Amino acid sequence: MHPRPDSPLVEKFVVSPNHGARLVGPTDALILHYTGMPTGEAALDLLATEKGGVSCHYLVWEDGRIWQLVAEDLRAWHAGKSFWAGETDLNSRSIGVEIVNPGHDGGCPPYPEAQIAAVIALCRDICARLKIPPQRVLAHSDIAPSRKIDPGEFFPWRRLHDAGVGLWAEPSSIRPGPSYEPGALGPPVAALQKMLADFGYGVEVTGVYDAATQDVVAAFQRHFRPERVDGIADVSTLETLRALQLLLG
Ligand SMILES: [Zn+2]
């Protein structure tokens, strides 16, 4: 028996055994990933078999085909240890979309047009049906900044936003000015950590610019200021973060 897809955009439902019941709710976040494998077939072999031990709700192929692997009302295993806005069980709270791309290990090949169009259509459909707010359309790297870098700084977040998906503010220009970097101490570092934590990131407000803080700043840049991802809170990074917070009000 074939389960019925949750989205009309799904071409095929390939059932993954890697799922369980959602433990907390509501389902109000959308997490985007790249597969990070040489081929989509290799990724599917992990996502849809017991030995792989991972899964996602949707898989988007390079040519734009969309397959569903786990029903939306079930908990797929894509996020791993994660945190966003006070929640540690992002698998229970989210829909996971894996986008076929070999990722950083594969040289960051651009996402093909057909695939971007399919991701946009799918995200629009999911966000509309589940009422997921723009600020909860997130990268895997946002919710696991010290472990994950997908879907990468080459993922077209701006285009998604232009099509009505996710939060975006035009990044402030990169230029000289006061900046904070690993090793910095004191109230300005605490203020930066507070801003990032208020935005949703899992960072402790310690006033010490430690490795974890650097990872969170890099995750922020990867998503919202992709031109330079170095984990240094430069003027452009700080201004872009402030602009996004203003959008949230
Ligand atoms: Zn991922």
Side-chain angles (χ1 to χ4, degrees):
M1 200 189 83
H2 293 282
R4 212 178 125 195
D6 289 295
S7 168
L9 302 167
V10 168
E11 183 206 54
K12 188 172 170 181
F13 204 135
V14 178
V15 176
S16 169
N18 306 324
H19 64 260
R22 291 188 182 274
L23 305 174
V24 292
T27 303
D28 62 355
L30 175 56
I31 310 298
L32 304 186
H33 305 257
Y34 64 46
T35 49
M37 303 279 292
T39 66
E41 286 77 11
L44 185 66
D45 192 43
L46 292 181
L47 293 166
T49 63
E50 222 162 289
K51 70 170 166 24
V54 292
S55 64
C56 56
H57 295 92
Y58 297 99
L59 178 69
V60 183
W61 294 88
E62 290 104 324
D63 62 4
R65 281 173 301 142
I66 299 169
W67 289 9
Q68 187 163 0
L69 279 68
V70 173
E72 286 183 0
D73 61 354
L74 295 172
R75 182 178 180 275
W77 304 346
H78 56 97
K81 187 173 159 42
S82 53
F83 179 94
W84 190 259
E87 179 62 68
T88 53
D89 185 359
L90 269 298
N91 276 336
S92 279
R93 293 286 297 268
S94 68
I95 298 292
V97 175
E98 286 278 0
I99 305 163
V100 174
N101 184 289
H104 291 80
D105 289 347
C108 302
Y111 292 89
E113 280 301 319
Q115 190 180 37
I116 295 170
V119 167
I120 286 172
L122 179 63
C123 290
R124 286 174 62 112
D125 171 57
I126 293 167
C127 289
R129 282 188 294 102
L130 301 183
K131 301 187 169 43
I132 295 173
Q135 67 271 25
R136 290 179 67 82
V137 179
L138 299 165
H140 198 189
S141 49
D142 289 321
I143 62 168
S146 294
R147 294 192 305 117
K148 295 291 175 181
I149 55 175
D150 63 306
E153 60 277 14
F154 59 108
F155 183 75
W157 290 106
R158 179 200 312 254
R159 289 197 44 198
L160 265 69
H161 174 261
D162 289 348
V165 177
L167 189 70
W168 183 259
E170 195 52 37
S172 171
S173 65
I174 294 175
R175 60 193 191 283
S179 71
Y180 303 97
E181 51 189 285
L185 295 171
V189 176
L192 165 68
Q193 290 169 327
K194 173 90 169 42
M195 279 179 80
L196 290 163
D198 287 348
F199 195 67
Y201 286 100
V203 60
E204 281 185 70
V205 182
T206 60
V208 180
Y209 206 123
D210 55 6
T213 303
Q214 184 178 8
D215 289 341
V216 168
V217 171
F220 173 81
Q221 293 169 333
R222 215 178 283 290
H223 186 158
F224 296 104
R225 208 287 306 274
E227 193 181 337
R228 188 187 293 169
V229 179
D230 57 7
I232 295 173
D234 56 16
V235 181
S236 155
T237 301
L238 293 166
E239 285 182 354
T240 307
L241 176 56
R242 274 192 214 104
L244 287 161
Q245 276 180 325
L246 281 176
L247 286 177
L248 293 176

